Amino acid sequence: MKFTETRGNDGVKPAAVSFSQAILSPMSSFGGIYAPEEIPRFDDDFLAEHLDKDYQALARDILATFQVDLPDDLVEAALATYQSFDDPDNPVPVVRVGERLHVSELYHGPTRAFKDMALQPFGVILSGLAQARGEHYLIMAATSGDTGPAALDTFRNKPNIKVACLYPDGGTSDVQRLQMVTEDGDNLKVIGIHGNFDDAQAALKHLLSSEVFRATLVEKHTQLSAANSVNFGRIIFQLIYHIHSYLELVRQGQISLGDKVYLVVPSGNFGNALGGYYAWQMGLPVEKIVIASNANNVLTDLIHTGAYDLRQRQLIGTSSPAMDILKSSNVERVLFHLFGAERTRELMRQLDEEQHYQLSSDELQALQSLFCADFCNDAEGKAYIKDYFQRGYLMDPHTATCMKAHASCCNQPLSAIVYSTAEWTKFSPTIANALTGENDSHDIDALKTIAKLAHTPIPARIGELFDKPVTQKTLVDKEDIEKEVLAFL
């Protein structure tokens, strides 16, 4: 299968590339990214045949459906990373929390967040490709909290790979920050920046698109790639858990094969929702994808009005910081599949240069046929955390945003799958405050409070963070990022 450019071709880059080429060099012409030329469809019996197969078998067959140009032994090594999850036989538990309401828990990997679902296998694949080609790669990552720890974990001491990870200083939880700044792999560099996630992501995309930066890396015998979801190597692994979650509901007797469901996704950079979109287009029975946002509700406005308008917006710091994003990169792939490369280039140019675009009425109708959206403020989110805890379920603040969107958007008597993207340990002060009304001054105190209330231990990998030495102390202005990365190399 070939992957093509979301904004069309500039006459310099190849117009279509293989899967391995798309993940090694994820940026395409005019600042665009790669998407599959065609979305493959399941065979009629695909879902039924996978009811008695495990997660790794499902993942293997999805990769085969996309005809990825990867050696079989590399695929097997990548999928073996799921053996390190809490339950290797079921890395993504699906839990019933209400009538026709289920939570798909995506956080049972090593860094306790859903980014492990894609980045654990992705790290093996990218390092394997680099070694096979005799090349060395710099992997760039920008994080609002979860991509960073997951990328650093998967690439730690991997051959032929170095990682430079950008995070907004003060824009992550303490646990997320500690997961990054205590990393001691020789091939890892963590760079805090004065700014927000959009600043970090803009710097990332600038460096990925800069021919001068790329040429400088070549002088250092290094190629450039990315661990963010601008890289389709992330997305292909994210669509798998949507299919798995549906199959789990069938296995549990909650739905019958062929029944439609709602997919309710807490969305920041739109990669999780995009995975659901691809699964739907491949043949998963979906009624609608529900986009849950926090107070940075630009996606809600887009889906309600067709306007993507940043002109009067300032990023708001919330208690669900992984969703504190205004420019959601993966919306671009949906625009491409719906409206084509030429229109996507026009819309993205407008957004980049004028800070807004407006879909036509027909385009908005097409978008609304796929997506519904709502947003949840911090006070509402904390109320949902407390309510569901009293019912016996402990959730993080990102998952909580989904509960309001579920209530407002899921108006058919169908089952809904809410995607829980982080364990409670990643955002303990917010959760402890929601449950007790008190403000713990340190994450460790909040963790202890919740552990006592929920009668559950603090996972060892989280608890030990507070005793590890800080090894990554770099903090720079965004204008100095490139200089800092080059000094690292």
Side-chain angles (χ1 to χ4, degrees):
M1 178 175 292
K2 293 295 185 182
F3 291 77
T4 191
E5 302 171 292
T6 53
R7 303 187 192 183
N9 185 251
D10 61 6
V12 178
K13 290 183 169 65
V17 299
S18 68
F19 176 76
S20 62
Q21 289 172 304
I23 65 174
L24 289 171
S25 299
M27 298 303 290
S28 65
S29 299
F30 306 114
I33 50 183
Y34 286 105
E37 280 188 332
E38 294 182 10
I39 302 172
R41 294 281 301 180
F42 299 147
D43 294 335
D44 291 344
D45 298 326
F46 183 91
L47 293 176
E49 290 171 350
H50 283 82
L51 282 171
D52 59 357
K53 294 184 179 180
D54 64 13
Y55 194 93
Q56 291 183 50
L58 174 64
R60 187 181 300 114
D61 290 344
I62 292 296
L63 293 174
T65 302
F66 275 88
Q67 301 171 359
V68 298
D69 59 325
L70 300 175
D72 290 344
D73 59 343
L74 185 56
V75 170
E76 293 307 312
L79 298 183
T81 59
Y82 292 125
Q83 294 295 315
S84 68
F85 282 54
D86 291 348
D87 181 355
D89 294 328
N90 185 17
V92 183
V94 179
V95 180
R96 187 175 185 270
V97 298
E99 186 177 359
R100 294 194 297 272
L101 181 60
H102 307 80
V103 174
S104 178
E105 296 180 344
L106 303 175
Y107 52 75
H108 288 275
T111 72
R112 320 311 295 172
F114 83 110
K115 301 299 174 68
D116 289 327
M117 294 305 305
L119 281 169
Q120 283 293 306
F122 178 75
V124 172
I125 287 171
L126 211 148
S127 176
L129 289 174
Q131 292 175 72
R133 296 161 69 107
E135 296 174 341
H136 292 263
Y137 277 82
L138 170 66
I139 309 301
M140 295 290 297
T143 187
S144 55
D146 286 331
T147 290
L152 296 165
D153 185 271
T154 193
F155 286 118
R156 184 191 306 113
N157 298 325
K158 286 279 196 307
N160 297 52
I161 299 292
K162 288 190 175 183
V163 179
C165 177
L166 315 177
Y167 76 96
D169 182 45
T172 70
S173 74
D174 279 354
V175 165
Q176 290 171 320
R177 181 182 58 82
L178 287 171
Q179 285 180 312
M180 292 184 282
V181 299
T182 59
E183 278 286 3
D184 57 2
D186 292 339
N187 64 331
L188 307 177
K189 178 67 175 179
V190 178
I191 302 172
I193 68 167
H194 299 296
N196 56 41
F197 172 74
D198 281 345
D199 295 323
Q201 180 164 257
L204 169 78
K205 294 184 80 170
H206 167 72
L207 292 178
L208 290 173
S209 302
S210 169
E211 294 302 327
V212 173
F213 182 65
R214 191 176 296 272
T216 305
L217 294 185
V218 169
E219 292 175 4
K220 298 176 181 291
H221 309 289
T222 299
Q223 309 294 318
L224 182 62
S225 189
N228 280 62
S229 56
V230 295
N231 196 315
F232 197 83
R234 279 269 305 273
I235 300 300
I236 199 169
F237 285 103
Q238 290 185 253
L239 72 90
I240 296 164
Y241 55 67
H242 292 286
I243 301 166
H244 162 83
S245 300
Y246 182 92
L247 292 172
E248 275 293 286
L249 290 193
V250 178
R251 293 180 187 118
Q252 294 173 15
Q254 301 295 327
I255 61 173
S256 298
L257 196 64
D259 289 352
K260 288 186 175 183
V261 297
Y262 289 101
L263 308 181
V264 188
V265 182
S267 195
N269 218 19
F270 217 74
N272 200 342
L274 180 70
Y277 168 79
Y278 281 129
W280 184 1
Q281 299 309 299
M282 292 175 77
L284 193 69
V286 173
E287 175 67 19
K288 215 162 241 190
I289 298 172
V290 179
I291 305 300
S293 295
N294 60 22
N296 297 291
N297 58 340
V298 65
L299 294 172
T300 310
D301 288 349
L302 173 66
I303 292 164
H304 285 178
T305 70
Y308 207 121
D309 195 342
L310 305 180
R311 288 173 294 184
Q312 302 300 319
R313 283 187 178 272
Q314 295 292 323
L315 194 75
I316 301 168
T318 74
S319 60
S320 48
M323 296 156 62
D324 290 350
I325 296 171
L326 293 180
K327 269 194 174 181
S328 298
S329 291
N330 282 291
V331 172
E332 179 168 345
R333 286 186 169 111
V334 175
L335 298 177
F336 167 76
H337 289 297
L338 292 179
F339 312 130
E342 184 177 348
R343 178 60 169 154
T344 301
R345 181 184 173 192
E346 178 186 1
L347 293 170
M348 297 310 297
R349 181 200 60 76
Q350 267 196 292
L351 185 62
D352 290 341
E353 296 178 5
E354 302 172 26
Q355 296 296 292
H356 75 101
Y357 64 71
Q358 174 68 54
L359 300 180
S360 70
S361 58
D362 288 346
E363 290 168 341
L364 176 58
Q365 187 175 1
L367 194 68
Q368 290 177 340
S369 70
L370 300 167
F371 301 101
C372 179
D374 202 351
F375 72 97
C376 178
N377 65 36
D378 284 354
E380 291 169 325
K382 289 178 182 178
Y384 281 113
I385 290 171
K386 185 173 185 178
D387 178 33
Y388 276 86
F389 183 74
Q390 291 172 342
R391 302 189 207 183
Y393 190 76
L394 179 60
M395 68 176 66
D396 89 302
H398 303 78
T399 310
T401 66
C402 292
M403 298 308 169
K404 181 181 177 185
H406 169 260
S408 64
C409 289
C410 300
N411 50 24
Q412 299 294 322
L414 301 172
S415 290
I417 303 170
V418 164
Y419 291 91
S420 185
T421 53
E423 187 179 62
W424 62 272
T425 56
K426 303 294 283 284
F427 304 98
S428 55
T430 295
I431 299 170
N433 175 256
L435 299 182
T436 67
E438 302 296 322
N439 290 307
D440 288 309
S441 56
H442 301 289
D443 273 28
I444 189 64
D445 297 326
L447 287 164
K448 291 176 180 176
T449 296
I450 299 166
K452 183 177 181 180
L453 288 171
H455 307 291
T456 189
I458 300 169
R461 287 190 65 151
I462 298 297
E464 67 189 17
L465 288 171
F466 296 89
D467 297 319
K468 292 178 71 174
V470 172
T471 56
Q472 306 274 356
K473 300 179 180 180
T474 302
L475 183 61
V476 301
D477 293 328
K478 55 189 176 183
E479 294 81 9
D480 295 326
I481 291 170
E482 182 172 351
K483 181 174 68 176
E484 196 66 43
V485 172
L486 292 174
F488 163 58
L489 292 180

